[in-house]
Amino acid sequence: MSLDIASTPVRSGPDELVPSRYAVKVGEIDVLIISDGVLPLPTKMLGHNADSAARAAWLKEMFLPPDAFDWSLNVVLVRSGGQTILIDAGLGLDPDLNLPRAGQLVKRLASAGVDLASVTDVVLTHMHMDHVGGLLVEGVKDQLRPDLRIHVAAAEVKFWEAPDFTQVDMPQGFPDALRSAATRFASEYRSQLRLFDEEHEVAPGVVVRRTGGHTPGHSVVRLASGNDRLTFAGDAVFTVGFDHPDWHNGFEHDPEEAARVRVRLLTELAATGEQLVATHLPFPSVGRVAVDGDAFRWVPAYWDY
Ligand SMILES: [Zn+2]
């Protein structure tokens, strides 16, 4: 990876060269995938329980650089039954961790013509800073409706009261930044939180379901309308997770449970043939899952534009 490219701020306006949004219809439900930018992260985080030679071989096969590469950061906006639902909120401001290309959500919502005041509900897959940070950007809370509902698993809020970082493998500075973002989010938005235990229907055909694993309250969002289905998997699935579902991602607080969650979800999605979108799959990250021997294969959707 060229550090020069990674540290160049994203240009805004009509000359921005990167694609930043992609629309999909799921029956009657409108889905807009919005890129919050990319996160340059060390490759060891792909599978810190994997043999380093196996990790290097996978990166080579994927034509990825050996030390660090840019992870996508996707956010989803859903419209169903008169509600406008933001699923996750991106990184927000760079918490001094050299992540200058993420945190584009607010600007990109505006360029998509989405007014923050039109958002009726926020659903959080979990409370890591790359999923809640956009709500902590200065001025954002003032633009949101006072009656905004923020749906998050009760187990997630509880976890961040005394988070366990003993099983993660993150670069220096990340645990503190994650703790502080989650704590700030919980205190700033406490009165707007709508907690659920296992499952909650946020809007017609929009169901958030707790999976645990990545974090104890990690949840996925299942969309269903007519015969169409789409699952937003949050951080249950990463790019490497199709070939190596048992590799432990450095951000997983309970990596063994996270691997079980991943295998269960990918097996189910392969059986139903429904569409998958996930936070850190390459933008726009719409695709399907196939079983491939004792692992899986990601089948990207053909772009429709
Ligand atoms: Zn994430």
Side-chain angles (χ1 to χ4, degrees):
M1 185 186 66
S2 154
L3 288 175
D4 276 334
I5 291 172
S7 60
T8 305
V10 175
R11 288 181 298 168
S12 58
D15 61 346
E16 188 177 26
L17 288 175
V18 294
S20 65
R21 61 180 187 267
Y22 183 74
V24 187
K25 266 277 203 193
V26 178
E28 305 273 293
I29 304 174
D30 287 308
V31 181
L32 192 63
I33 296 129
I34 299 160
S35 167
D36 187 58
V38 295
L39 299 167
L41 290 171
T43 49
K44 185 176 178 228
M45 298 197 48
L46 292 174
H48 59 91
N49 61 330
D51 176 60
S52 62
R55 217 165 41 224
W58 184 82
L59 290 162
K60 194 156 182 255
E61 268 171 31
M62 296 295 284
F63 299 94
L64 288 167
D67 300 322
F69 73 93
D70 291 336
W71 297 23
S72 291
L73 183 39
N74 304 308
V75 172
V76 175
L77 188 85
V78 169
R79 290 195 176 100
S80 177
Q83 286 168 252
T84 298
I85 304 142
L86 184 64
I87 308 176
D88 288 345
L91 180 76
L93 291 183
D94 179 1
D96 246 354
L97 293 170
N98 194 24
L99 308 170
R101 297 176 67 206
Q104 311 290 332
L105 177 69
V106 173
K107 187 176 78 187
R108 287 177 172 172
L109 281 173
S111 73
V114 179
D115 184 356
L116 282 175
S118 70
V119 175
T120 57
D121 301 80
V122 171
V123 176
L124 297 176
T125 60
H126 60 299
M127 283 165 54
H128 275 161
M129 65 183 169
D130 54 324
H131 301 253
V132 301
L135 298 173
L136 300 173
V137 172
E138 208 184 324
V140 164
K141 195 179 179 197
D142 299 336
Q143 294 174 59
L144 292 166
R145 307 154 65 111
D147 61 349
L148 176 76
R149 299 171 289 257
I150 302 180
H151 308 274
V152 59
E156 186 68 9
V157 176
K158 187 161 178 14
F159 172 70
W160 287 100
E161 289 168 6
D164 175 5
F165 279 78
T166 55
Q167 295 188 75
V168 303
D169 190 332
M170 300 175 183
Q172 221 190 353
F174 274 71
D176 284 346
L178 290 169
R179 266 190 216 98
S180 107
T183 308
R184 234 188 97 198
F185 167 76
S187 89
E188 287 194 23
Y189 286 95
R190 186 160 301 280
S191 65
Q192 277 156 307
L193 300 184
R194 300 290 179 271
L195 305 182
F196 62 89
D197 289 328
E198 297 300 326
E199 191 174 295
H200 175 63
E201 184 166 24
V202 175
V206 181
V207 174
V208 57
R209 186 176 304 161
R210 190 181 75 84
T211 63
H214 186 73
T215 57
H218 180 275
S219 301
V220 298
V221 183
R222 316 296 297 258
L223 306 180
S225 173
N227 292 323
D228 288 351
R229 300 273 180 282
L230 183 149
T231 289
F232 180 63
D235 283 11
V237 182
F238 301 92
T239 314
V240 72
F242 299 96
D243 290 334
H244 298 288
D246 54 337
W247 282 11
H248 296 171
N249 182 277
F251 282 104
E252 289 165 347
H253 292 260
D254 182 347
E256 287 186 3
E257 179 61 8
R260 284 190 287 271
V261 165
R262 182 158 41 249
V263 169
R264 221 163 29 227
L265 186 67
L266 292 176
T267 305
E268 186 190 338
L269 297 183
T272 62
E274 71 191 85
Q275 301 199 85
L276 163 70
V277 170
T279 307
H280 302 296
L281 295 182
F283 176 84
S285 93
V286 184
R288 290 186 167 79
V289 183
V291 172
D292 189 1
D294 55 4
F296 301 92
R297 189 160 46 86
W298 183 41
V299 185
Y302 286 23
W303 281 40
D304 178 356
Y305 59 116

